[in-house]
């Protein structure tokens, strides 16, 4: 089984209660358990991680090198628009990833239109709600075949 790391950044621990008109009522626990189950069906071992701290996310990306993680799926939250460190971590370990956003960031405030990750991502999912995670995992499975 290929290992896939799912990373959720700041404030995603509040899914289900944070601005439900934007992010919906699905909780992070729901998203993660669904991805683990879907991963099993796709022959993937899905590992999940969430942190509100940039350094913890960088360190978790670094750990993938020694764990044999083959791909990542990341919703970097607000770090999308600010984190050169997360970008450098992905480049540093040469880990392919898909960037996921629950909302369509391009329909939101102008500062959300720029991503420090999109140009190095294998793909970007935005605006599909939490279903974007599932679509991204299907894409990852196809890339790992």
């Amino acid at each position: 089984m290929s290992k896939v790391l799912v990373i959720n950044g700041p404030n995603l621990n509040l899914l289900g209660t944070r601005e439900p008109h934007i992010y919906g009522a699905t909780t992070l626990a729901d998203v993660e358990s669904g991805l683990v189950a879907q991963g099993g069906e796709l022959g993937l071992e899905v590992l999940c991680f969430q942190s509100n701290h940039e350094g913890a996310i960088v360190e978790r990306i670094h750990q993938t090198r020694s764990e044999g993680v083959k791909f990542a799926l990341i919703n970097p939250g607000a770090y999308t628009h600010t984190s050169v460190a997360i970008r450098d971590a992905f480049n540093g370990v040469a880990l392919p990833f898909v960037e996921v956003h629950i909302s369509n960031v391009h329909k939101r405030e102008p500062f959300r239109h720029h991503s420090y990750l999109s140009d190095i991502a294998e793909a970007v999912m935005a605006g599909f709600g939490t279903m974007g995670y599932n679509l991204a995992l299907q894409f990852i499975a196809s890339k790992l075949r």
Side-chain angles (χ1 to χ4, degrees), residues 97-109:
F97 67 94
V98 175
E99 179 181 349
V100 173
H101 299 284
I102 295 168
S103 68
N104 181 351
V105 293
H106 300 289
K107 287 182 69 176
R108 299 185 63 196
E109 306 92 336

Side-chain angles (χ1 to χ4, degrees), residues 5-15 18 23 28 31-32 48-58 60-61 73-83 86 90 98-102 117 133:
L5 175 63
V6 175
I7 303 169
N8 280 285
N11 299 310
L12 288 155
N13 56 303
L14 299 177
L15 276 181
R18 173 190 177 210
Y23 301 107
L28 183 59
V31 169
E32 291 177 341
C48 298
F49 178 78
Q50 188 278 327
S51 181
N52 295 316
H53 305 282
E54 183 179 34
I57 294 169
V58 168
R60 187 65 187 93
I61 293 166
L73 182 165
I74 184 169
N75 182 340
Y79 289 137
T80 304
H81 323 292
T82 64
S83 185
I86 293 172
F90 276 116
V98 175
E99 179 181 349
V100 173
H101 299 284
I102 295 168
L117 300 174
Y133 287 91

Side-chain angles (χ1 to χ4, degrees), residues 4-44:
V4 175
L5 175 63
V6 175
I7 303 169
N8 280 285
N11 299 310
L12 288 155
N13 56 303
L14 299 177
L15 276 181
T17 60
R18 173 190 177 210
E19 301 173 279
H21 62 286
I22 295 174
Y23 301 107
T26 304
T27 67
L28 183 59
D30 295 335
V31 169
E32 291 177 341
S33 64
L35 289 171
V36 168
Q38 180 187 6
E41 294 167 9
L42 295 169
L44 303 172

Side-chain angles (χ1 to χ4, degrees), residues 118-141:
S118 293
D119 67 315
I120 64 168
E122 294 290 319
V124 179
M125 300 292 303
F128 290 89
T130 55
M131 180 178 32
Y133 287 91
N134 304 102
L135 296 170
L137 194 61
Q138 288 175 4
F139 171 79
I140 290 168

